[in-house]
Amino acid sequence: PFGWPQTDRDRTDLSTFILRTYDPHVFLVHLIALDSAQHEHGPGSAKALETLAQIDGYVGEIVAATRTAGRSATVAVVSDHGFLPLERQLQPNA
């Protein structure tokens, strides 16, 4: 059982279980902690870089679970958007 909200650790554990137990044709997982860290602490911050390193490890665990299960896979790491520091904000008609 997992608590709510699920952490990236929870999502990784669930992902590796699914990949070891089943043979999905398509498998998607959304690791979200980096987005939160960048919104809260800024892109390139120590916390964001620490979170990125942690997520890199999670992706490695997921890839390893796929290999351990004897399956081949194409892994694509994507982002929902880019992230740059905000220097100026314009709100027309606000």
Side-chain angles (χ1 to χ4, degrees):
F2 295 101
W4 188 259
Q6 288 181 347
T7 66
D8 284 350
R9 172 80 267 162
D10 295 334
R11 287 181 178 89
T12 300
D13 290 344
L14 182 57
S15 296
T16 57
F17 170 79
I18 290 169
L19 292 166
R20 285 191 318 265
T21 308
Y22 302 100
D23 188 14
H25 293 281
V26 175
F27 186 80
L28 306 172
V29 61
H30 185 190
L31 302 176
I32 62 173
L34 182 59
D35 186 69
S36 299
Q38 290 185 123
H39 278 291
E40 189 173 332
H41 302 283
S45 66
K47 182 63 176 173
L49 295 175
E50 174 186 322
T51 303
L52 178 60
Q54 188 174 49
I55 287 175
D56 183 61
Y58 294 154
V59 171
E61 290 179 39
I62 293 168
V63 170
T66 303
R67 289 182 179 148
T68 299
R71 296 182 182 90
S72 64
T74 299
V75 177
V77 177
V78 299
S79 171
D80 63 338
H81 61 81
F83 215 111
L84 296 171
L86 181 65
E87 294 179 17
R88 193 177 323 173
Q89 184 173 350
L90 177 64
Q91 295 179 322
N93 298 320

